[in-house]
Amino acid sequence: MTKLWRRLRYLQQRERMEADLAEEMAFHRAQLERDGAPAVAMGNVTLAREDARAVWIWPWLESFWQDARYGLRTLRSQGGFTAVALVALASAIGINTTPFTLFNAMALRPWPVRDPGRVVNLFRSMRGGVAGYGNAEADYLAAHSRSLSGVIAMDNREDVKSGGRTLHLTVVSANYFQVLGVQPVAGRGFLDAEDRAGAPEPVVVISDALWRNQLGANPAILSGGSPLRIALDEIPFTVVGVLPAEFTGTSPLRNDVWIPRAALKLLRPHDPSVEEYLTSPRTCCVSVAGRLAPGVTRRQAEAEIGLLINGYRASQGLEQGTRALVTGTAWMEAPGKKDKAAGAVVLLFVAVTLVLLLACANVGNLLLARAAARHKEIAVRLSLGGSRARVVRQLLVESSLLAIGAAALGLVVAYIAPPFLVARLGSDLVFHVTPDATVLGYTIAIAVVACLAFGLAPALHGTRGQIASAIKSEARFGTPRLPLRSVLLGVQVGISVLLLGAAGMMVRGLQRTAHLDPGFDVARVSAVTIGLPASQYGGERTRAFTEQLVAQLDRVPGLPLCGISSDSPLGNSHTSTALELHPGEAQQRVTFHEVSGGYFEVLGIAIVAGRNFTAQDAGRDSVLLNQTAARRFWPGENAVGKTFQSNARARTVVGVVKDAYTSDLGAVEPTMYFPTGGDRGVPLVLVRDPGPGTIERIAAIVKELEPRAELKAEPLSENFRQQMQPAIYGAAVAGFLGLLALLMASVGMAGVFAYAVNQRTREIGVRMALGARPAQVVRLVLGSSLRALVVGAVAGLAGTAAMSATLVRVMPGLQPSDPAAYAGVLALLAAAVALASAIPARRAARVDPLRALRWE
Amino acid sequence: MGKANPQLELLPGTLDMLILKALGRGAMHGYGIAQILKQTSDDVLQVGESSLYPALQRLLLNGWVAAEWGASDNNRRARYYTLTAAGRKQLAAERADFDRMVAAIQKVLATA
C-alpha cells in the first residue's frame, strides 16, 4: 500500500520528479566528462531517462492490462453469468441515468445562451415571499446598475393565434437577444426604439422551428428583400429576425414568437391594463435577468440591486424592504423551486437508487457463488505466492469490467429512453435531453460505486478461507453456509418488497381517488370555453360582452340552467388575493373564483348558510365563502353578514357554500367566490346535462354577440381525468420499478436456491438413501434461505411504512396503512419465491442417491 | 583486462543489491555509486546511466533508498541517496539468497 501511495505521489508531483531525474543525469554526464571518459560510455541519454521514468508507471499498467485480459477471458468463458449480470446492472444503471438525464435537462441546465455562467436571474424577497420585478423596476435597473452589464425583462404572455395556429409568445425588452448573446441566423434582434411604450412597433422575431415548419423556410427574410409579415391575433407584424435552432427561449416551455414589450399595446389595443403593465412602478411582475459585469460576484450584484431598488421605490413612494436575490438560470436555482421539486424527485431517486442497490446485491451474490466455484483457482494462486491484495485486485478488475460494460449499456438507455418519454408526454416543454458531461459523470460515478458495492465484498470473502483445505477438497460437507449470501438475498427481498409496497399503495390510492367525490357533480356537467378574437377585446369590451352573455343565457327560452365561471372547476386555477379581516391586521391569502349564482346550482354545491348570488349581485361587493374559509376567518361564528377589506374595497359575506375541490384534487383551500364581473377575461359557461342541441344554442347566442368567437365544449370529467394524470404516471413508474425489482430478486433467489442444491448434492443423496421424501428435501433446500426471506420481507414492509409518510405528502389521498396493499405485496413475493424455487427444488428432489454418493 | 576485454554483463537482479551494498558506506550520488562499483570491481563492473538510473528509481519506489539534494565535492547540486531501514533489511535478504545461489552454482560446476 505504501508503494501505491509513493506511486500516486510520483504521479502527482510528476513534473518535479522528472526535472530531478534530468538534472541528476546531467550531473552524471558532467562528472564523466570531467573525468575524461569516452563519449560512448554515456549511452543513449533519452532512452535511459525513459527507462528510469517507466519504473514508476509501466509495470503497474502492465499488470492491470494482464488482469483485464484475464478477466475478459473469464467473463467470456462464463457467458450465462456475464449476460445475467450485465442485463441486471445495465437496466439498473439505465433506470438511474434516465430520470437523471431528464432532471438534468429540466432543472440543472442553464439557459442555452452565450457564457451562461454569467447570466443570472433576479428575484426579490419581500415580506417573507419571493417575487420578481415590474417592467418599470427592470428599466430602472437597466439604466443604473453597474454590477450587471445588461438587464433584460421577459414575460411569457398568453398564446396568440396566427392563421389558425396557436403560437407561444414571449414579450421581451429590446436588448434581450443582445444581452443573452443570441445571434439571429437571419435578420436582427430588436432596436431600442422598438420598445418604447409611447411608440410601439409591430416587429417580431421568430423561432427556427416556426420559420422552417410553418413559414416554409421563406428565404425573403434572408435576402433582406420584401419584408415577411405574419398576423398575430389578426394584427400584422413584420418578421425582423429568425433565431438559431439551439435557442429555444428562456423558459422550459416551447416558444415561437418574441415581440418587444411595447408591442403588447398593438396586440391588445382595448386593454387599458397594458399601459400600466409597461410603465407603472406598482405593477409586478415579469421575469428579470442580467449579465454580470466582468469580475462582479453574485453577492456584490445582490447588494447593489437591493440598494438601487429600495432607492427607486422610496422615490415612488412605495414600500421598501426588498432584499435582492441573484441566482443562476437553471430551473432548480430559482428560489423556492428546490422545495417544490424535493418530495417527488427525492422519492424517485431513492427508488431508482434502491433498484441499483438491488442489482448490486444480485450480481454480488452471483459473484459470490462464482468465487465459491473458483475457490480452488484462487487458493492455487494464493499458494503460488500471489498476495491477497493482488488476487482481490484481479477480482475487482473483473467486476469493474462488468460495471464498465453495464455503464456503456446504461448510457445507451440514457440516449434512447428520455426522448421517447418526452415524446410520450407530448407536451410543449422543450428539453435538450441528450446526455451531457453531467450525465456522463453521473453514470460513471454510479458505475464505480456499484462496482465497489457488488465486487468488493465477494472478492474479500472469496480470498479469505484456508488455502490447504480448499485445495484438498471442494465438497465441504456440512460447512456453515456463507452468511454474506443470506444478507445479500435479504437485501434483494427487502428492496423489492419496499418498492412493491410503495407501488401497491399508490395503485390503491389511485383507485380511491378515482372514486373521490370532488364535492360537485363531475359526471353530468360540461364546460363551454369561449375564445374571442383577443386583439379586439379586453377591458371594457370584455366586460360588456360578459354582461350581455349572462343576460342572454338567462333570457333565451328552453335552455337548461347555465353557470358562469372565470375558470374551470378542477382546472388548477389558484388565483389568490389578499384580504384584511380588520383594518391594519395582518393580510391573509385566499383563492378566489368569479362565478354567477347558476354556478352552484349547476355543479350541485349546496349553500349551507345565507343566500346564493342573484342577478343584482353582479359587479357588487357581495362574496360567498366556502366552509373552510368561513371556519378559518370567523371560527365558531356565523360568517354571513361579516365584512372585510380586499384590494381597498369593503366586501360583505352573503353566504357560505359547502366545501368542494374547485381548484384541484389536492386539498380544499380557503376559497372566496366573487360575482361575475368580466375582469378576469371571458368566462366559461357550465351546463348540466347538455341535451342534444344545447351546445349549439349556446353557440348561437355567443355568435350573435361576436361572430368570430370560437367555442369548445368539454365534460368536466376530462378535467378530473387530467387531475389524476400525475398520480397515474407516478403509480405506473412505481409499479414498473416494483415489478422489475421483483423480477431481479426472483432471478437472485433462483440462483441462490440452485447453488444450495449444488452444494448439498451429496447430503441430499445421503438423506434420500436413508429414506427422506422429496418434499422433505425441498424443505431442506429452501429452509436455509427462509430466514433471509422472512427478515428481508419484514424489513421491506417496515421500510414501506416509513416511506409512506413522505409518499402521502407527495400524493394526497394515500392511506399509509393499507392492509390490502401489504397483503398484495406478500402474495406477489410468495408467488415469486415459489417460481424461483421450482426448478432447483425439482432438481433436488430428483437427485439420484447412488450418483450423488459416487460423486468426486 | 584493459580495453581489449569487453565488459561483463551483470547477472540479472544483482545491480539493485550492489547499489544497496555501495550505499552501505554512506550517502552517495549516482555518479559516485557508479565510480565505487567500478573501482571496487577493478573496472569489471562499469554501470552506465541506462541501467543505473532505472535501478535507482526502482529502489526509490520500493522505499529501500531515500534521495535528497546536496552539494557535491566540486560544489555542484547533486542528488544523494541513502539507505533506509527497509533497504538494509532487503540487502541482507538479497545477500543471503545470492550467497546460497552462488554456492549452489559453484557446487554444480565443481561436480558436473
Side-chain angles (χ1 to χ4, degrees):
Chain A
M1 276 299 125
T2 47
K3 207 162 153 184
L4 177 66
W5 188 77
R6 261 184 237 119
R7 243 194 260 273
L8 291 177
R9 221 180 59 142
Y10 173 84
L11 289 178
Q12 188 210 338
Q13 307 183 338
R14 195 172 169 157
E15 265 175 40
R16 218 201 69 212
M17 298 284 204
E18 284 181 11
D20 277 357
L21 182 64
E23 184 180 348
E24 106 177 284
M25 288 174 75
F27 170 78
H28 189 109
R29 276 193 307 281
Q31 295 292 55
L32 272 178
E33 263 171 51
R34 197 194 58 175
D35 295 353
V40 64
M42 290 191 220
N44 184 334
V45 179
T46 324
L47 189 68
R49 219 165 66 199
E50 284 298 320
D51 283 350
R53 222 166 37 191
V55 166
W56 292 95
I57 302 158
W58 182 241
W60 204 29
L61 285 181
E62 201 179 40
S63 68
F64 257 117
W65 174 234
Q66 265 177 9
D67 283 353
R69 261 190 337 200
Y70 183 75
L72 271 181
R73 225 173 27 231
T74 338
L75 289 177
R76 216 178 314 146
S77 69
Q78 291 169 312
F81 158 79
T82 309
V84 170
L86 269 185
V87 167
L89 282 176
S91 28
I93 290 179
I95 276 169
N96 273 269
T97 45
T98 301
F100 184 79
T101 306
L102 287 172
F103 182 69
N104 177 48
M106 270 188 258
L108 298 183
R109 281 198 195 176
W111 292 342
V113 298
R114 172 168 53 80
D115 193 8
R118 301 295 291 167
V119 178
V120 288
N121 266 323
L122 311 186
F123 297 95
R124 63 149 50 108
S125 110
M126 201 176 180
R127 269 192 263 137
V130 171
Y133 298 93
N135 274 315
E137 289 173 315
D139 289 343
Y140 183 83
L141 283 181
H144 294 91
S145 171
R146 291 171 168 278
S147 59
L148 299 167
S149 62
V151 175
I152 56 174
M154 68 221 110
D155 195 10
N156 283 94
R157 299 287 300 200
E158 63 270 21
D159 294 344
V160 292
K161 292 251 164 54
S162 177
R165 294 180 294 255
T166 301
L167 301 181
H168 297 296
L169 167 87
T170 302
V171 299
V172 297
S173 52
N175 58 349
Y176 178 80
F177 299 110
Q178 176 226 322
V179 169
L180 293 179
V182 174
Q183 185 63 43
V185 287
R188 56 173 176 85
F190 297 124
L191 311 173
D192 285 344
E194 289 166 341
D195 189 28
R196 304 243 158 86
E201 294 281 338
V203 287
V204 59
V205 166
I206 62 176
S207 71
D208 176 78
L210 179 65
W211 183 60
R212 245 167 242 294
N213 303 339
Q214 304 193 356
L215 300 180
N218 188 325
I221 181 77
L222 296 171
S223 61
S226 59
L228 182 62
R229 288 180 200 284
I230 57 171
L232 304 179
D233 281 343
E234 303 174 340
I235 310 289
F237 274 74
T238 305
V239 178
V240 296
V242 178
L243 294 179
E246 311 87 74
F247 183 72
T248 45
T250 42
S251 94
L253 285 171
R254 176 171 67 91
N255 199 61
D256 305 302
V257 287
W258 288 259
I259 61 170
R261 288 173 299 179
L264 206 54
K265 281 178 119 175
L266 305 172
L267 209 55
R268 298 284 177 267
H270 304 287
D271 189 346
S273 71
V274 170
E275 178 71 32
E276 218 173 290
Y277 167 82
L278 292 175
T279 56
S280 165
R282 290 169 191 280
T283 319
C284 190
C285 302
V286 293
S287 306
V288 180
R291 188 177 282 281
L292 290 173
V296 174
T297 66
R298 291 181 186 182
R299 295 291 84 80
Q300 290 167 340
E302 279 178 351
E304 192 212 29
I305 293 165
L307 279 176
L308 283 176
I309 283 295
N310 284 322
Y312 174 68
R313 290 180 68 88
S315 75
Q316 301 292 322
L318 293 170
E319 181 188 358
Q320 299 170 49
T322 286
R323 196 167 63 79
L325 300 173
V326 170
T327 70
T329 55
W331 181 84
M332 193 69 172
E333 290 188 60
K337 290 291 200 281
K338 246 174 244 149
D339 314 334
K340 222 183 216 171
V345 170
V346 166
L347 271 184
L348 178 62
F349 278 100
V350 165
V352 294
T353 308
L354 284 176
V355 172
L356 181 67
L357 198 64
L358 193 158
C360 288
N362 198 331
V363 176
N365 234 350
L366 288 174
L367 280 175
L368 204 57
R370 241 167 41 112
R374 290 169 70 182
H375 214 75
K376 246 175 133 177
E377 174 205 331
I378 290 168
V380 167
R381 294 186 63 171
L382 286 173
S383 65
L384 286 180
S387 69
R388 185 170 174 213
R390 188 71 182 64
V391 177
V392 166
R393 197 177 87 186
Q394 163 68 43
L395 294 176
L396 272 187
V397 165
E398 273 183 52
S399 30
S400 47
L401 284 176
L402 272 180
I404 290 168
L409 289 177
L411 264 187
V412 171
V413 175
Y415 263 97
I416 296 170
F420 173 76
L421 286 177
V422 169
R424 280 296 305 267
L425 290 172
S427 64
D428 279 337
L429 296 173
V430 280
F431 299 139
H432 302 264
V433 282
T434 40
D436 58 5
T438 321
V439 170
L440 194 68
Y442 177 81
T443 311
I444 290 171
I446 59 174
V448 166
V449 170
C451 161
L452 286 178
F454 71 71
L456 193 56
L460 291 177
H461 208 265
T463 54
R464 212 167 49 183
Q466 302 292 308
I467 297 172
S469 72
I471 296 180
K472 261 191 300 197
S473 139
E474 61 181 324
R476 288 168 301 150
F477 194 77
T479 44
R481 282 163 299 283
L482 307 169
L484 181 58
R485 182 182 311 284
S486 301
V487 171
L488 291 180
L489 182 64
V491 166
Q492 295 181 53
V493 170
I495 290 175
S496 47
V497 165
L498 174 61
L499 291 175
L500 277 176
M505 268 172 33
M506 289 172 85
V507 170
R508 294 273 302 162
L510 263 187
Q511 286 177 344
R512 253 195 305 274
T513 317
H515 297 112
L516 183 85
D517 176 14
F520 58 87
D521 207 338
V522 166
R524 295 167 60 188
V525 178
S526 284
V528 181
T529 323
I530 300 166
L532 296 176
S535 56
Q536 305 304 315
Y537 281 83
E540 200 45 58
R541 288 193 181 198
T542 307
R543 224 177 341 262
F545 174 88
T546 306
E547 269 170 32
Q548 287 174 8
L549 176 69
V550 172
Q552 287 294 322
L553 287 174
D554 276 350
R555 206 170 304 148
V556 172
L559 211 58
L561 182 63
C562 291
I564 302 286
S565 171
S566 54
D567 49 74
S568 190
L570 288 179
N572 287 328
S573 166
H574 293 276
T575 316
S576 67
T577 183
L579 60 83
E580 278 169 34
L581 297 182
H582 303 287
E585 251 187 31
Q587 292 193 326
Q588 313 228 29
R589 303 241 27 121
V590 58
T591 305
F592 73 93
H593 308 281
E594 279 187 18
V595 301
S596 69
Y599 176 87
F600 300 101
E601 287 178 51
V602 169
L603 290 179
I605 299 175
I607 313 286
V608 293
R611 62 170 176 86
N612 196 346
F613 288 138
T614 64
Q616 284 73 48
D617 285 312
R620 299 244 316 265
D621 293 326
S622 333
V623 298
L624 292 171
L625 298 180
N626 70 353
Q627 290 169 303
T628 304
R631 266 198 307 273
R632 167 90 50 96
F633 301 142
W634 291 280
E637 289 180 68
N638 184 3
V640 178
K642 301 278 188 201
T643 57
F644 59 89
Q645 291 280 322
S646 177
N647 290 330
R649 271 173 82 174
R651 303 279 190 173
T652 308
V653 181
V654 298
V656 175
V657 300
K658 208 161 177 303
D659 277 342
Y661 295 85
T662 43
S663 289
D664 64 33
L665 280 182
V668 177
E669 301 159 346
T671 305
M672 186 158 77
Y673 299 92
F674 291 134
T676 308
D679 284 338
R680 293 194 49 214
V682 193
L684 45 84
V685 180
L686 299 170
V687 206
R688 190 186 185 88
D689 293 329
T694 308
I695 304 293
E696 285 74 9
R697 251 180 296 169
I698 295 175
I701 295 171
V702 171
K703 296 267 180 188
E704 203 175 295
L705 294 170
E706 171 55 68
R708 285 180 300 165
E710 289 169 8
L711 275 83
K712 197 177 82 180
E714 222 171 27
L716 282 188
S717 51
E718 179 59 22
N719 283 359
F720 191 83
R721 201 186 59 77
Q722 280 184 7
Q723 286 284 323
M724 300 274 293
Q725 210 56 51
I728 291 174
Y729 283 137
V733 168
F736 171 70
L737 291 180
L739 288 178
L740 184 82
L742 187 67
L743 181 70
M744 279 200 220
S746 306
V747 171
M749 282 190 277
V752 170
F753 295 152
Y755 177 77
V757 172
N758 257 348
Q759 285 286 294
R760 303 173 75 177
T761 306
R762 261 187 11 161
E763 182 190 345
I764 293 169
V766 171
R767 283 175 189 262
M768 290 185 68
L770 294 178
R773 282 192 310 278
Q776 285 170 315
V777 171
V778 171
R779 211 174 311 138
L780 176 77
V781 171
L782 291 190
S784 59
S785 304
L786 196 63
R787 212 174 53 175
L789 292 181
V790 171
V791 171
V794 169
L797 287 182
T800 313
M803 198 155 88
S804 61
T806 318
L807 257 184
V808 169
R809 227 176 308 135
V810 175
M811 224 181 114
L814 289 194
Q815 238 167 31
S817 54
D818 187 335
Y822 289 154
V825 170
L826 289 182
L828 267 178
L829 179 68
V833 171
L835 259 175
S837 62
I839 297 171
R842 240 180 45 183
R843 244 195 16 229
R846 284 196 182 160
V847 167
D848 177 356
L850 282 178
R851 281 255 294 281
L853 290 173
R854 242 188 275 130
W855 201 20
E856 264 190 44
Chain B
M1 307 267 153
K3 274 183 188 172
N5 216 346
Q7 286 164 30
L8 290 175
E9 287 281 320
L10 268 174
L11 280 172
T14 49
L15 178 58
D16 292 11
M17 179 176 68
L18 295 180
I19 295 173
L20 291 176
K21 173 67 186 162
L23 287 177
R25 303 171 171 218
M28 224 174 273
H29 49 65
Y31 183 72
I33 296 172
Q35 292 297 101
I36 288 283
L37 292 182
K38 191 174 163 210
Q39 283 162 19
T40 49
S41 67
D42 297 334
D43 287 356
V44 175
L45 302 177
Q46 300 207 13
V47 185
E49 283 172 277
S50 52
S51 44
L52 177 64
Y53 288 95
L56 281 170
Q57 299 282 315
R58 203 157 47 231
L59 295 175
L60 274 175
L61 170 62
N62 284 307
W64 294 332
V65 302
E68 205 172 285
W69 286 95
S72 74
D73 37 10
N74 58 346
N75 249 340
R76 279 195 57 171
R77 224 163 84 87
R79 202 181 194 192
Y80 283 88
Y81 293 87
T82 48
L83 208 54
T84 62
R88 220 171 294 273
K89 228 192 274 173
Q90 177 69 15
L91 174 61
E94 278 190 35
R95 178 148 194 182
D97 285 351
F98 185 75
D99 286 347
R100 270 174 48 211
M101 178 66 73
V102 170
I105 291 172
Q106 282 180 339
K107 206 166 169 189
V108 172
L109 290 177
T111 53

